[in-house]
Amino acid sequence: NVEPRSVPVFPWHSLVPFLAPTQSD
Amino acid sequence: ALSHAPASAPSNPSHFMKGAIIQLATGELKRVEDLQTQDFVRSAEVSGGLKIDSSMVVDIRASQQKPGLVSLHFTVGEQQSKVTIDVPPEHPFFVFGQGWSSCSPERTAQLYDLACHPLQVGDVCVSITLQQQP
């Protein structure tokens, strides 16, 4: 009775920054 | 079994760990270290709601407000909007045609085992923003 190990899958857009103009100083 | 991990990033975002499984908008699965520029461009096209922007690094300096972090100054997209973000030096960015890059490739390798190029002024990074509705 082997417990299946779940492998996390991450969405592609979590890897790149969301740069919107309102973030500037 | 595959389980969908949340997109929000803890302090050490595990999606940058070498071997992490990334799902592209096409449904394809790739390891983070195997991603190519075209994977991001294609995913944005397929996603419909997101747009890829070219964000050029114009300045890198130590953060004034948050010790230990670096302030990255970008000009973003066609409008060349000025955007500044504070990030840990080991945070990886995907540079068009070059791949993963960071301000401290050694620390990135230690923390994530992810090979990185040094991030430099003039590098153009992949960033995303919301698609403008017509």
Side-chain angles (χ1 to χ4, degrees):
Chain A
N1 188 5
V2 178
E3 187 67 33
R5 221 164 45 92
S6 70
V7 176
V9 173
F10 301 96
W12 67 277
H13 48 75
S14 62
L15 295 169
V16 288
F18 186 96
L19 297 182
T22 50
Q23 275 175 295
S24 71
D25 289 356
Chain B
L2 300 178
S3 66
H4 284 277
S8 61
S11 58
N12 268 351
S14 48
H15 45 270
F16 288 123
M17 293 284 190
K18 185 179 180 181
I21 306 293
I22 309 300
Q23 183 162 38
L24 305 181
T26 54
E28 184 184 358
L29 297 179
K30 272 195 159 182
R31 294 190 184 283
V32 65
E33 64 270 21
D34 299 331
L35 289 170
Q36 306 287 323
T37 301
Q38 206 43 41
D39 295 321
F40 291 106
V41 172
R42 183 87 188 99
S43 286
E45 286 167 0
V46 169
S47 72
L50 293 173
K51 179 167 82 83
I52 291 283
D53 269 326
S54 299
S55 297
M56 177 178 284
V57 178
V58 293
D59 193 16
I60 302 175
R61 61 182 65 184
S63 170
Q64 304 293 320
Q65 290 88 12
K66 298 162 190 160
L69 300 188
V70 288
S71 276
L72 292 179
H73 301 251
F74 292 99
T75 53
V76 180
E78 298 89 15
Q79 286 86 25
Q80 300 278 289
S81 319
K82 300 278 189 291
V83 178
T84 299
I85 56 175
D86 287 341
V87 294
E90 66 272 10
H91 188 90
F93 291 85
F94 200 91
V95 174
F96 280 90
Q98 173 171 293
W100 293 113
S101 307
S102 78
C103 295
S104 175
E106 305 75 25
R107 274 185 60 78
T108 306
Q110 272 170 13
L111 279 175
Y112 303 116
D113 197 18
L114 182 68
C116 271
H117 301 272
L119 187 66
Q120 302 170 43
V121 170
D123 283 348
V124 179
C125 301
V126 175
S127 69
I128 49 174
T129 188
L130 291 178
Q131 190 72 271
Q132 299 293 331
Q133 299 310 323

